[in-house]
Amino acid sequence: MAIIEAGNGIVTHINMFTTTPERQQALVDSLAETVRAASEVPGWISASIHRSFDGRQVVNYVQFESHDAAQRVTRHLLAGGYIQRNTQLGTVTPGQYEVVHTLSNTDN
């Protein structure tokens, strides 16, 4: 389960893919296989895959214990060809983030 809290040191990696409606499900399936492989690497915490209703976007939200863990997972996925396969199905804009603020109904 994703942990979304400010100040906990967790590294969040968000991949925003642009694809075609015809390829969206294939990309979702490929990302699901990718996160299963990533979950085998120590320091990986969670992943959530989101798809847009118009079929043109897929977002992968991944959490790691640290930057080192994120790098280990990336090396593992590159070595297995997962990242290469995903980028054949869509154009990706990746980024690593830290949570700096949250608000939810339970905070009131």
Side-chain angles (χ1 to χ4, degrees):
M1 179 61 95
I3 302 165
I4 304 175
E5 296 175 339
N8 63 7
I10 290 176
V11 173
T12 303
H13 190 95
I14 302 173
N15 290 312
M16 295 177 285
F17 287 88
T18 301
T19 190
T20 63
E22 299 80 24
R23 288 183 161 192
Q24 187 189 50
Q25 188 58 50
L27 179 56
V28 167
D29 294 342
S30 180
L31 288 169
E33 185 177 337
T34 300
V35 299
R36 280 191 295 276
S39 71
E40 300 168 359
V41 180
W44 178 91
I45 296 174
S46 71
S48 301
I49 300 168
H50 310 257
R51 66 175 169 205
S52 65
F53 290 110
D54 68 2
R56 300 185 185 282
Q57 302 290 321
V58 177
V59 176
N60 185 18
Y61 183 97
V62 186
Q63 294 183 310
F64 309 97
E65 291 177 355
S66 65
H67 286 287
D68 288 340
Q71 290 174 349
R72 283 193 305 273
V73 169
T74 299
R75 285 192 300 270
H76 176 73
L77 296 177
L78 282 168
Y82 295 96
I83 292 173
Q84 298 88 327
R85 184 183 61 221
N86 294 337
T87 57
Q88 290 174 352
L89 294 169
T91 304
V92 65
T93 303
Q96 285 192 356
Y97 306 88
E98 67 175 316
V99 176
V100 295
H101 180 78
T102 63
L103 178 68
S104 71
N105 285 343
T106 60
D107 292 337
N108 297 331

